[in-house]
């Protein structure tokens, strides 16, 4: 492969026309199509020479069964890097996003689940999100509610995270013990989940048996909320959209993507490795080992609360993707999620 250097304006125009034509049609692109599309005012033979040069530089490849060419990962990268900043959404997309976020939902994770489905509808790819983890999130509410034979423990984080669990109530825990423990829970409000758990364990050590056990139940719910893989996970929606893109993938690469989507820990690791700290990030094919294995691209953006990044939202689809549309949708949804998270503080 030749060394890649800065492309001339004509080569860049030809490359971008090949990308857009291939994304639109899914078929290898010939010089005649580019002569009609690019408006360069040169012959098909000249464009054919430029396409051959782009192939030598590694931006295009030449399927053996076709006279046309298709973009490589490097070709897509050059195209994406030259795109303007995400533009305005189409009016129908803008209305759909506005309607989704107009609903009053207190639990940010529930908002995220809906947002993942929303992104999958807007882009026709699979939506992905990493919600805020509880380890550093502060409690705004912690209650133990007496429900007769059971106790309901409810914990609410500053960004709208909700953890709840119903547990059997031991016979020796009377109503007085529940009320006494409930009053003491106020002491850990405003601390993180981890700090609150430690505080409850320390507090329980000096309390009588009934109150002691209620405080331990509350501490255990906080422990489970921050324990291992449950602490951070991945929300996935619209995977069925990927089956509509089978012509863009080989069967074996699509199978590997589906297998990873089923393994939440593996998908979480990929998203953590490609997640941006600011703005929208596009990871194309071989730029990451997993997307290279899948023949896929991931478009992600962070969502924030104040100055802190608290989660990631994005999509995964074939490298033959409408990148500008995907980037615009992901950016718009991330910005609305940031607004929701800010309001929940």
């Amino acid at each position: 492969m030749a060394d890649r250097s800065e492309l001339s304006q004509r080569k860049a125009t030809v490359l971008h026309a090949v990308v857009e034509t291939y994304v639109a049609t899914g078929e290898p692109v010939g010089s005649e199509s580019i002569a009609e599309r690019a408006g360069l005012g040169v012959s098909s033979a000249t464009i054919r020479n430029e396409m051959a040069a782009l192939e030598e530089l590694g931006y295009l490849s030449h399927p053996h069964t076709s006279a046309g060419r298709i973009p490589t990962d490097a070709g897509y990268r050059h195209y994406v890097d030259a795109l303007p900043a995400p533009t305005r959404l189409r009016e129908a997309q803008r209305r759909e996003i506005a309607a989704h976020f107009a609903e009053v939902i207190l639990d940010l994770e529930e908002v995220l689940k809906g947002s993942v489905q929303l992104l999958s509808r807007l882009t026709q790819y699979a939506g992905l999100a990493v919600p805020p983890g509880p380890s550093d999130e502060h409690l705004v509410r912690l209650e133990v509610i007496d429900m007769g034979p059971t106790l309901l423990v409810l914990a609410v984080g500053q960004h709208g995270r909700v953890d709840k669990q119903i547990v059997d109530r031991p016979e020796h825990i009377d109503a007085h013990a529940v009320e006494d423990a409930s009053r003491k829970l106020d002491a850990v409000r405003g601390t993180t989940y981890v700090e609150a758990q430690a505080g409850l364990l320390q507090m329980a050590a000096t309390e009588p048996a009934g109150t002691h056990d209620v405080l331990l139940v509350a501490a255990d719910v906080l422990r489970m909320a921050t324990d291992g893989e449950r602490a951070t996970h991945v929300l996935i929606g619209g995977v069925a959209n990927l089956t509509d893109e089978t012509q863009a993938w080989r069967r074996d690469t699509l199978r590997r993507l589906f297998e990873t989507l089923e393994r939440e820990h593996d998908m979480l690791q990929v998203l953590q490795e490609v997640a941006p700290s600011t703005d929208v990030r596009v990871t194309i094919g071989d730029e990451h080992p997993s997307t290279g294995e899948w023949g896929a691209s991931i478009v992600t953006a962070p969502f924030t609360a104040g100055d802190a990044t608290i989660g990631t939202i994005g999509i995964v689809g074939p490298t033959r993707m409408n990148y500008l549309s995907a980037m615009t949708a992901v950016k718009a949804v991330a910005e609305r999620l940031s607004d929701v998270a800010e309001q929940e503080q």
Side-chain angles (χ1 to χ4, degrees), residues 171-186:
E171 292 183 2
H172 70 277
I173 297 180
D174 57 20
H176 173 73
V178 176
E179 291 174 7
D180 187 39
S182 296
R183 286 192 297 269
K184 290 178 167 55
L185 296 179
D186 287 342

Side-chain angles (χ1 to χ4, degrees), residues 78-339:
H78 192 285
Y79 174 81
V80 168
D81 288 348
L83 285 173
T87 54
R88 287 178 58 85
L89 293 159
R90 295 195 301 272
E91 183 60 25
Q93 291 179 314
R94 189 195 64 75
R95 286 199 301 268
E96 187 168 0
I97 291 174
H100 172 72
F101 285 99
E103 298 178 15
V104 179
I105 311 174
L106 295 179
D107 184 354
L108 181 58
E109 182 149 337
E110 289 302 315
V111 178
L112 267 177
K113 289 177 182 177
S115 299
V116 163
Q117 296 293 343
L118 172 65
L119 260 184
S120 72
R121 292 195 303 272
L122 293 173
T123 64
Q124 292 304 298
Y125 304 125
L128 307 165
V130 179
S135 297
D136 299 317
E137 188 163 1
H138 289 74
L139 282 165
V140 295
R141 183 179 174 191
L142 180 62
E143 295 182 48
V144 177
I145 301 169
D146 191 340
M147 301 177 64
T150 59
L151 298 173
L152 169 64
V153 182
L154 175 67
V156 180
Q158 70 186 116
H159 303 309
R161 179 188 176 94
V162 175
D163 291 283
K164 54 184 179 291
Q165 185 166 336
I166 296 175
V167 297
D168 291 333
R169 174 179 172 176
E171 292 183 2
H172 70 277
I173 297 180
D174 57 20
H176 173 73
V178 176
E179 291 174 7
D180 187 39
S182 296
R183 286 192 297 269
K184 290 178 167 55
L185 296 179
D186 287 342
V188 298
R189 187 180 301 165
T191 63
T192 67
Y193 276 56
V194 173
E195 291 168 343
Q197 179 192 348
L200 291 177
L201 292 175
Q202 185 176 9
M203 193 186 307
T206 60
E207 296 295 332
T211 303
H212 169 275
D213 288 353
V214 176
L215 292 174
L216 290 186
V217 167
D220 197 49
V221 170
L222 298 181
R223 178 192 60 78
M224 288 188 289
T226 57
D227 188 28
E229 292 184 18
R230 293 189 58 178
T232 308
H233 56 287
V234 181
L235 304 174
I236 301 172
V239 175
N241 289 336
L242 301 181
T243 62
D244 296 333
E245 296 284 346
T246 50
Q247 65 174 0
W249 266 304
R250 295 194 306 273
R251 186 183 302 273
D252 58 332
T253 56
L254 187 61
R255 174 182 55 79
R256 285 195 290 268
L257 172 58
F258 281 175
E259 287 174 350
T260 305
L261 289 171
E262 291 175 356
R263 297 193 299 272
E264 186 175 46
H265 177 73
D266 292 349
M267 196 68 223
L268 175 62
Q269 183 175 348
V270 173
L271 287 175
Q272 288 174 334
E273 290 170 354
V274 305
S277 56
T278 59
D279 208 14
V280 178
R281 179 176 178 180
V282 180
T283 303
I284 301 170
D286 287 335
E287 293 177 351
H288 185 277
S290 291
T291 50
E293 184 181 17
W294 308 330
S297 292
I298 295 178
V299 180
T300 51
F303 56 94
T304 61
D307 295 329
T309 296
I310 61 171
T312 303
I313 186 98
I315 56 96
V316 60
T319 53
R320 201 198 103 217
M321 176 185 292
N322 186 331
Y323 286 97
L324 183 57
S325 175
M327 292 164 66
T328 301
V330 169
K331 182 178 177 66
V333 172
E335 288 174 347
R336 297 304 293 267
L337 281 170
S338 296
D339 292 341

